[in-house]
């Protein structure tokens, strides 16, 4: 069945056909025909953000917490350029997004028209793919293909740039149908390689699972298979920042996060293992540290849907290209059919070694005196919110790392953070996107005061849509992570790392009609958190914390995994000249 | 398992060289990339090379299948085996890329380039230029009393050699197309 309609109507129709229920956007001249169609329908909710960057991060939060693509609609020129940070963020973290931008009419492209920007040119390196549609007849097909590309293989953001005359013109709508495009990344892994991994699992003496965001990308079924594999083999498991929740934090095989600010036991296990099984992680530099010293004695397997992730940074012995869910299913089948074997005696010894590392208790801290330690604030938040149907987003900095260390995630899709790009200003709009998708859940953004200010305008959005997002700000009046690096690397010369002239966050909340809570006394903290949880509406929680706390453990730049700094050590001179050029 | 031949949609990865050797030796590879002939596709390929710091020694592009909307990009690049494998994998993940072939490892192949040389000279030099052109099977496509324009086709090193010989004889301008390459046999 072919149908004639305007381009603008096609856009709304395509979104409906793709099952989209929420769009985050901001209008402008070049998208007015689309907004006119949005006005005349009730199938799709449109969330009016206060800045286009907010729209993209909100869509990321929506996507990561639902597994569905996030959708954004913005205007040409400044609307599109404001979306660039969010697109780059989504590209680095493999978040599926479909971003629609308006463009000046086709006959004015290239003339420096009002609000013209070369959007496909600007966003080519920060999207998985993008399109400029110059023909209304092609619009429907491109939009469906956009959803296909965003969600297939390694997910990522795509952008469709639509000139205004294409929106006005009438054309034939191509309905949604199974994709016939040549872009069909394979999901099944090579059985020979999978079988080789099974043999390695059967023989390993000191194995470790190193899992990442790819498990989350693969969907909840992949997390279930991972749990079955971990519990079946009894091997220890660690995860990157992006993979938290795929395996439950309460599971006894769980070592905690690994990497630069990962747990001692996780990093030591990675360094000393004889079999490393990477499942959907990409050997990021926050994980490997100095590549030459990374886990020198291990055989390495890597399961990843993107061939370019394999051997990019670390040479692996057993490469498996495929989707985590599909590969784990085959892997479990083969392992079971061969009798579910492991070298349990050796693995038992390995666990004894791990227990000794665990006994170091690298996250211990002491809450004494009248100043709230950030670690204490997060431990209390964890204790008081654990039983809730809870989603956590974060900003970027020390608070983000402490959140990863002190909060426990039992399920996938519950933890939204900007890992690859490390975008300050991500967490607040992301919390809005999450709350839109899960209206009845408790959504908390763990923030630093500096990051939070970067997209604070979104208070208006939270209020307008009655989204009870809780902004839990660990306020150290410092760009804490920057201050920490200056302490370690730059002779305690704290150049520009103060948060001066901060607003009164309680008054700020009230100015928007929200609730503000301030807390500075550890003895009041529990009550204050309960007050936040009980309030039905957005809350800004200004938690005044210790100003000079450092985030440990830390693998200093230029050091190996078994060379970690723990709390209470001398911080001077630990990073040499070679390490200090690294970020 | 050496060459990367990405057939989108196939379930076999046997063509990926996921176990390359990791030597530090810089190798020169000729890649043939079959792409959807859509606007911006060349920018994507070039942007990949500049954005990730890979080398382009030569690049040619033209439509090769009008009905199928396919263009063939031939890229000569250089890098360590690990970098070459990355380049191929990164090319393979560009959405409009249909196939990537590494002609250097996929078996014997032929490479050709077309070049034009303008040589300005009189007397003995002019005669010598013509004599050498004959040896190299270069054709004269334009001549005036003082200049010749030679056209020569061949492997890149043959063209380099011709250029070296023409330089003392009054070479003023060179235009080269870059390498086109095909595998031999089936
Ligand atoms: C201040 C700061 C500090 C940080 N410190 C740390 C730290 O200490 N520890 C830490 O872990 N991180 C840390 N990070 C995050 C870090 O920068 C990276 O973002 C993170 O480590 C990458 O996680 P990942 O390897 O799981 O990869 P992701 O970015 O999640 O990539 C996923 C991988 O899985 C693959 N994939 C996707 N979908 C599938 C599928 N369906 N099947 C199979 N494979 C798939 C992709 O191709 C990709 O290779 C920090 C970030 C910041 C901002
Ligand atoms: C947009 C952006 N600009 C700069 C940085 C560099 N940066 C990383 S952490 C940080 C400080 C964050 O301070 P705050 O939000 O208060 O968190 P804290 O580290 O104090 O917990 C900065 C400036 C960044 N990650 N993102």
């Amino acid at each position: 069945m072919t149908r004639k309609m305007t381009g603008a109507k096609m856009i709304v129709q395509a979104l409906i056909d793709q099952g989209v229920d929420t769009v985050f956007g901001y209008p402008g001249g070049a998208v007015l025909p689309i907004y006119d169609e949005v006005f005349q329908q009730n199938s799709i909710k449109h969330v009016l953000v206060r800045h286009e960057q907010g729209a993209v991060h909100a869509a990321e939060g929506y996507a990561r917490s639902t597994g569905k693509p996030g959708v954004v609609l913005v205007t040409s020129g400044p609307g599109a350029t404001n979306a660039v940070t969010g697109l780059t963020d989504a590209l680095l973290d493999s978040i599926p997004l479909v971003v629609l931008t308006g463009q000046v009419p086709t006959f004015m492209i290239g003339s420096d028209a009002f609000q013209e920007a070369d959007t496909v040119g600007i966003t080519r390196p920060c999207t998985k793919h993008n399109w400029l549609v110059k023909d209304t007849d092609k619009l429907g097909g491109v939009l469906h293909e956009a959803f296909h590309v965003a969600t297939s293989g390694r997910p990522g953001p795509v952008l469709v740039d639509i000139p205004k005359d294409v929106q006005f013109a009438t054309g034939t709508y191509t309905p949604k149908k199974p994709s016939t495009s040549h872009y069909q990344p394979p999901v099944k892994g090579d059985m020979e390689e999978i079988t080789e991994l099974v043999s390695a699992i059967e023989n390993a003496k000191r194995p470790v699972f190193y899992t990442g965001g790819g498990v989350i990308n693969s969907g909840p079924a992949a997390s279930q298979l991972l749990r079955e594999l971990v519990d079946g083999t009894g091997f220890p498991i660690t995860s990157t920042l992006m993979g938290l929740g795929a395996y439950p934090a309460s599971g006894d095989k769980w070592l905690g996060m690994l990497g630069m600010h990962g747990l001692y036991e996780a990093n030591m296990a990675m360094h000393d293992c004889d079999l490393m099984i990477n499942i959907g992680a990409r050997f990021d530099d926050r994980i490997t540290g100095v590549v030459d010293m990374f886990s020198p004695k291990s055989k390495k397997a890597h399961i990843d849907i993107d061939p370019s992730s394999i051997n990019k940074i670390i040479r692996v012995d057993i490469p498996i290209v495929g989707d985590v869910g599909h590969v784990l299913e085959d892997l479990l089948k083969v392992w079971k059919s061969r009798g579910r074997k492991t070298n349990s005696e050796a693995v038992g010894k390995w666990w004894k070694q791990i227990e000794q590392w665990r006994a170091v208790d690298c996250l211990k801290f002491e809450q004494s005196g009248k100043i709230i330690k950030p670690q204490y604030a997060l431990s209390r938040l964890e204790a008081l919110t654990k039983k809730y149907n809870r989603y956590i987003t974060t900003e970027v900095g020390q608070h983000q790392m402490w959140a990863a260390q002190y909060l426990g995630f039992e399920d996938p899709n519950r933890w939204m953070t900007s890992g690859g790009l490390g975008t300050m200003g991500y967490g607040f709009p992301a919390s809005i996107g999450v709350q839109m998708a899960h209206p009845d859940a408790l959504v908390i953004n763990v923030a630093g005061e500096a990051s939070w200010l970067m997209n604070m305008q979104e208070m208006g959005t939270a209020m307008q849509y009655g989204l009870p997002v809780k902004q839990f700000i660990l306020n150290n009046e410092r760009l804490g992570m920057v201050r920490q690096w200056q302490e370690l690397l730059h002779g305690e010369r704290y150049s520009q790392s103060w948060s001066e002239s901060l607003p009164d966050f309680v008054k700020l909340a009230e100015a928007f009609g929200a609730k503000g809570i301030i807390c500075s006394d550890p003895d009041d903290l529990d009550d204050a958190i309960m007050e936040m949880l009980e309030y039905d509406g957005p809350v800004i929680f200004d938690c005044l914390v210790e100003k000079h706390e450092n985030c440990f453990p830390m693998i200093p730049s230029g050091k190996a995994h078994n060379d970690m700094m723990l709390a209470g050590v001398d911080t001077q001179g630990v990073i040499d000249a070679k390490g200090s050029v690294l970020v | 398992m050496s060459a990367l031949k990405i057939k989108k949609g196939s379930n076999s990865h046997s063509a990926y060289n996921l176990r390359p050797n990791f030597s530090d030796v810089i190798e020169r590879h000729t890649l043939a990339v079959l792409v959807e002939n859509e606007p911006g596709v060349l920018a994507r390929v070039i942007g990949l090379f500049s954005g990730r710091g890979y080398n382009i020694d030569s690049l040619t592009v033209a439509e090769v299948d009008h009905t199928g909307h396919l263009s063939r990009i031939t890229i000569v690049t250089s890098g360590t085996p690990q970098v070459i494998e990355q380049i191929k994998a990164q090319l393979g993940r560009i959405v409009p890329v249909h196939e990537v072939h590494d002609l250097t490892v996929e078996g014997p192949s032929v490479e050709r380039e077309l070049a034009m040389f303008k040589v300005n000279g009189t007397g003995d030099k002019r005669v010598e230029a013509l004599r050498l052109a004959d040896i190299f099977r270069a054709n004269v496509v334009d001549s005036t009393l003082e200049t010749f324009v030679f056209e020569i086709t061949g492997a890149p090193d043959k063209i380099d050699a011709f250029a070296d010989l023409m330089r003392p004889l009054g070479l003023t301008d060179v235009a080269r197309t870059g390498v086109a390459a095909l595998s031999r046999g089936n």
Side-chain angles (χ1 to χ4, degrees):
Chain A
M1 185 190 71
T2 54
R3 277 189 288 163
K4 291 263 178 202
M5 59 182 86
T6 64
K9 199 169 184 73
M10 261 181 215
I11 291 164
V12 172
Q13 190 59 50
L15 296 183
I16 293 171
D17 290 354
Q18 287 289 339
V20 174
D21 52 25
T22 310
V23 171
F24 302 91
Y26 206 88
V31 283
L32 284 180
I34 308 174
Y35 271 89
D36 205 24
E37 291 299 332
V38 168
F39 187 82
Q40 299 175 52
Q41 57 83 45
N42 288 315
S43 316
I44 297 173
K45 271 175 282 175
H46 179 278
V47 179
L48 178 70
V49 294
R50 299 303 188 262
H51 185 294
E52 289 87 351
Q53 185 188 353
V56 187
H57 293 323
E60 287 186 272
Y62 177 96
R64 191 67 165 187
S65 68
T66 60
K68 298 198 290 181
V71 181
V72 173
L73 172 59
V74 296
T75 193
S76 67
T81 56
N82 273 348
V84 166
T85 301
L87 287 168
T88 313
D89 192 271
L91 184 72
L92 275 171
D93 284 348
S94 302
I95 311 285
L97 297 183
V98 176
V99 176
L100 310 176
T101 52
Q103 183 55 277
V104 303
T106 46
F107 52 85
M108 292 176 83
I109 287 177
S111 68
D112 297 327
F114 177 64
Q115 296 199 324
E116 179 179 2
D118 175 7
T119 301
V120 286
I122 290 169
T123 62
R124 201 173 282 129
C126 62
T127 52
K128 184 173 170 186
H129 195 60
N130 62 16
W131 295 261
L132 168 64
V133 183
K134 289 181 168 175
D135 177 353
T136 307
D137 282 333
K138 297 212 170 113
L139 185 54
V142 168
L143 289 169
H144 295 308
E145 177 70 3
F147 278 87
H148 170 69
V149 171
T151 54
S152 312
R154 179 179 186 165
V158 301
L159 180 142
V160 186
D161 200 23
I162 310 158
K164 197 170 180 181
D165 54 336
V166 174
Q167 301 169 29
F168 271 125
T170 299
T172 305
Y173 174 65
T174 314
K176 185 188 172 196
K177 49 178 188 278
S179 168
T180 53
S181 109
H182 79 95
Y183 183 75
Q184 309 288 347
V187 290
K188 296 276 274 182
D190 184 305
M191 284 314 285
E192 243 173 76
E193 303 282 11
I194 290 175
T195 309
E196 194 177 333
L197 176 52
V198 170
S199 309
I201 287 173
E202 289 166 346
N203 295 311
K205 297 190 170 113
R206 299 186 308 280
V208 65
F209 287 110
Y210 150 42
T211 60
V215 186
I216 314 282
N217 286 135
S218 185
S223 292
Q224 280 311 320
L225 292 164
L226 176 70
R227 289 163 192 220
E228 193 184 337
L229 181 64
V230 173
D231 296 337
T233 56
F235 293 176
I237 173 171
T238 177
S239 164
T240 66
L241 184 75
M242 298 310 289
L244 298 177
Y247 186 81
S250 59
D252 63 346
K253 305 291 175 285
W254 175 240
L255 302 182
M257 182 176 81
L258 82 161
M260 180 176 268
H261 292 290
L263 272 65
Y264 184 71
E265 50 269 45
N267 285 331
M268 291 303 282
M270 287 287 281
H271 188 268
D272 283 2
C273 66
D274 73 344
L275 174 65
M276 176 187 296
I277 307 164
N278 173 340
I279 307 179
R282 57 182 172 85
F283 291 109
D284 183 83
D285 53 60
R286 299 299 89 163
I287 304 306
T288 59
V290 177
V291 170
D292 301 343
M293 294 187 267
F294 177 69
S295 192
K297 289 166 283 194
S298 58
K299 180 178 242 189
K300 298 175 184 75
H302 188 179
I303 302 169
D304 202 297
I305 203 160
D306 180 354
S308 80
S309 282
I310 293 179
N311 289 325
K312 178 165 64 176
I313 294 157
I314 297 292
R315 176 187 188 161
V316 298
D317 307 283
I318 309 175
I320 303 175
V321 175
D323 164 61
V324 169
H326 285 81
V327 173
L328 289 188
E329 201 180 336
D330 287 339
L331 180 78
L332 275 161
K333 247 185 237 153
V334 177
W335 181 66
K336 285 179 190 165
S337 73
R338 290 166 47 140
R340 307 170 140 267
K341 285 192 288 251
T342 59
N343 184 344
S344 49
E345 195 187 323
V347 174
K349 263 198 220 148
W350 175 228
W351 269 111
K352 290 217 173 69
Q353 168 67 68
I354 291 172
E355 289 309 332
Q356 284 175 15
W357 291 325
R358 270 187 175 162
V360 169
D361 194 9
C362 67
L363 294 184
K364 69 171 174 278
F365 64 91
E366 225 175 288
Q367 174 60 55
S368 56
K370 276 299 191 191
I371 299 172
I372 300 174
K373 289 238 183 195
Q375 299 94 326
Y376 177 71
L378 286 168
S379 304
R380 294 317 302 155
L381 186 73
E382 167 74 354
L384 295 171
T385 62
K386 216 174 170 47
K387 61 178 194 300
Y388 284 74
N389 173 18
R390 182 186 78 177
Y391 292 81
I392 301 283
T393 68
T394 78
E395 302 289 348
V396 168
Q398 292 178 314
H399 63 276
Q400 177 190 24
M401 294 297 111
W402 282 316
Q405 294 171 342
Y406 290 90
L407 304 182
F409 298 94
E410 297 300 311
D411 293 299
N413 306 99
R414 298 283 173 155
W415 163 249
M416 276 46 64
T417 195
S418 169
L421 195 63
T423 311
M424 293 170 70
Y426 164 88
F428 183 16
S431 73
I432 286 176
V434 175
Q435 190 84 72
M436 277 305 296
H438 310 277
D440 300 324
L442 170 64
V443 182
I444 304 173
N445 174 32
V446 175
E449 80 292 339
S451 293
W452 194 81
L453 290 176
M454 285 211 178
N455 270 322
M456 59 169 257
Q457 76 285 345
E458 298 306 328
M459 277 306 288
T461 313
M463 288 307 298
Q464 180 178 344
Y465 297 92
L467 303 172
V469 288
K470 313 301 182 204
Q471 304 304 311
F472 193 72
I473 301 177
L474 295 175
N475 184 351
N476 53 11
E477 297 175 19
R478 301 287 182 278
L479 312 186
M481 189 58 96
V482 172
R483 193 208 59 76
Q484 175 166 347
W485 280 59
Q486 289 172 335
E487 179 179 328
L488 297 176
L489 278 168
H490 295 276
E492 300 179 58
R493 289 179 295 281
Y494 297 122
S495 179
Q496 308 295 320
S497 54
W498 259 263
S499 287
E500 295 268 5
S501 309
L502 284 170
D504 176 330
F505 284 103
V506 174
K507 280 194 189 146
L508 184 69
E510 286 164 6
F512 277 100
K515 184 179 180 65
I517 298 173
I518 185 163
C519 182
S520 59
D521 186 334
D523 295 334
D524 299 338
L525 186 61
D526 278 22
D527 287 345
I529 291 177
M530 287 315 295
E531 190 186 347
M532 169 178 90
L533 298 177
E534 277 154 19
Y535 183 73
D536 185 18
V539 176
I540 303 180
F541 191 111
D542 185 10
C543 188
L544 301 176
V545 297
E546 168 66 49
K547 298 186 200 317
H548 296 127
E549 192 67 20
N550 282 327
C551 183
F552 291 120
M554 177 175 182
I555 303 176
S557 309
K559 302 279 171 165
H561 269 177
N562 57 351
D563 208 353
M564 257 163 291
M565 290 172 76
L566 298 173
V569 294
D570 183 9
T571 55
Q572 288 313 300
V574 285
I575 299 177
D576 56 21
K578 224 170 117 205
S580 63
V581 300
L582 305 168
V583 288
Chain B
M1 194 161 85
S2 59
L4 177 126
K5 215 184 251 174
I6 300 179
K7 273 258 188 270
K8 289 280 172 66
S10 92
N11 277 335
S12 156
H13 314 292
S14 58
Y16 289 118
N17 186 4
L18 295 169
R19 297 170 178 231
N21 77 55
F22 275 65
S23 82
D24 291 333
V25 180
I26 303 285
E27 296 176 356
R28 183 173 173 279
H29 284 238
T30 303
L31 310 178
V33 189
L34 220 54
V35 301
E36 198 115 355
N37 188 8
E38 62 177 35
V41 65
L42 187 59
R44 285 179 211 285
V45 170
I46 292 172
L48 171 68
F49 277 75
S50 63
R52 293 186 185 264
Y54 306 141
N55 299 313
I56 299 182
D57 297 340
S58 158
L59 183 141
T60 62
V61 56
E63 189 173 75
V64 290
D65 176 355
H66 186 69
T67 43
H69 284 287
L70 292 179
S71 291
R72 185 177 172 108
I73 303 179
T74 308
I75 305 169
V76 182
T77 183
S78 48
T80 62
Q82 189 185 7
V83 167
I84 300 283
E85 287 310 316
Q86 257 302 299
I87 291 173
K88 291 187 270 175
Q90 292 289 351
L91 284 168
R93 71 204 276 263
I94 295 177
V95 172
V97 167
H98 285 235
E99 289 177 31
V100 181
H101 295 274
D102 185 342
L103 297 178
T104 306
V105 298
E106 275 180 25
S109 62
V110 281
E111 294 191 1
R112 287 293 178 271
E113 191 178 352
L114 185 144
M116 292 196 284
F117 292 84
K118 186 180 282 180
V119 180
N120 194 335
T122 50
D124 287 352
K125 285 191 173 177
R126 189 168 159 86
V127 176
E128 179 63 0
L130 210 53
R131 197 182 67 80
L132 287 168
D134 197 39
I135 294 171
F136 275 77
R137 295 201 181 85
N139 299 321
V140 176
V141 290
D142 178 65
S143 65
T144 65
L145 287 177
E146 267 122 44
T147 63
F148 285 123
V149 174
F150 296 114
E151 171 208 57
I152 179 169
T153 315
D157 50 354
K158 174 179 161 187
I159 293 174
D160 290 343
F162 187 64
D164 288 345
L165 291 172
M166 285 299 124
R167 211 158 280 127
L169 302 177
L171 180 65
T172 57
D173 293 286
V174 183
R176 296 175 71 152
T177 57
V179 174
L182 281 180
S183 60
R184 289 177 191 266
N186 299 322

